[in-house]
Amino acid sequence: MKVMIKWSSLLFFISLFFIQKTHARSLETIYKTGELRFCMASFHPSLFTASPKECVKNCKYEGPVYEETLLFTKFLGKGVQPKYTHIQWSDQFKNKQGKIIHDGEYTPQYLASGECDIYPNNLTKNDWRLKKMDFVMLFPSRMMVIVHKSERIKYHKPMDLSGKVAVVEANTSFHSWLVEQNKTSFQKNPIQITLMNVNLLLEQLVNKQANFSIFDADSAMWITQNEYPQLSIAFPIGSMDQIGWMFRKSDKQLQKKVDLFFNSQRADQNSAINQIWKKYYGMDLIKFVRIISSID
């Protein structure tokens, strides 16, 4: 009986090993299968749009993040084709049990299962995400406070947010910043945080049912210039952020390829990514980085 138990245990661990090997998708595997798997998650059209509504597979994508994934896949060459899965924003961080544990160290299920190789969704590098994934920067940014244009005169500095009502999407870097500030700067008069979908929260701001929201600078410019002229950027908060793509920690070769691609694109004013930024944001990435770097 003891021998059988030992053999059963050994077979169990062997099976686990092969399951993990199957799920691990190295750069060599990507080339061998000719398939690069992106999980697309957007909280706002300034990243990309997917249609039809609620699609998961076979979606039609439009927007800067999508075009950047096409460019990188082409950069890999060797007949590699992109494959897309459309997921919700919070799905990027869920473990095998479908839970998000900010302090937990695990590989999110979509990456661990091999369903995805890359999250290309302009993710902000922060401590709780780095416990789960590795990161390659595409561009630096700053978080921006957005308010109703008629209320703009009331907002000049972070302490003006004390006691106000904020609307943000759950599990974004903006949500994390608000939670942290309520533990420190706003402990005596905390910000009232309401979590909701980005389209709903923008409507809340337009209708003055909330005081402010927070977005990265690229999305903030898009929203106030192209989508909701009733809203205005008030001021930046926090320190300089790094925005980019995220990966399984084991996928070092793929990360190096992405880093090489990003560096080459940023360095060339006429690069394809700089042209994408001109198309969608009205300025190339080089100019955007220059503006962000000059903000106090």
Side-chain angles (χ1 to χ4, degrees), residues 205-218:
L205 287 181
V206 169
N207 296 324
K208 298 185 181 180
Q209 295 172 312
N211 298 120
F212 74 95
S213 188
I214 305 171
F215 286 86
D216 288 318
D218 53 318

Side-chain angles (χ1 to χ4, degrees), residues 22-25 37 109-117 248:
T22 301
H23 289 171
R25 285 189 34 90
R37 299 173 182 176
Q109 178 62 11
Y110 272 103
L111 293 174
S113 68
E115 178 79 11
C116 310
D117 299 314
R248 285 178 290 261

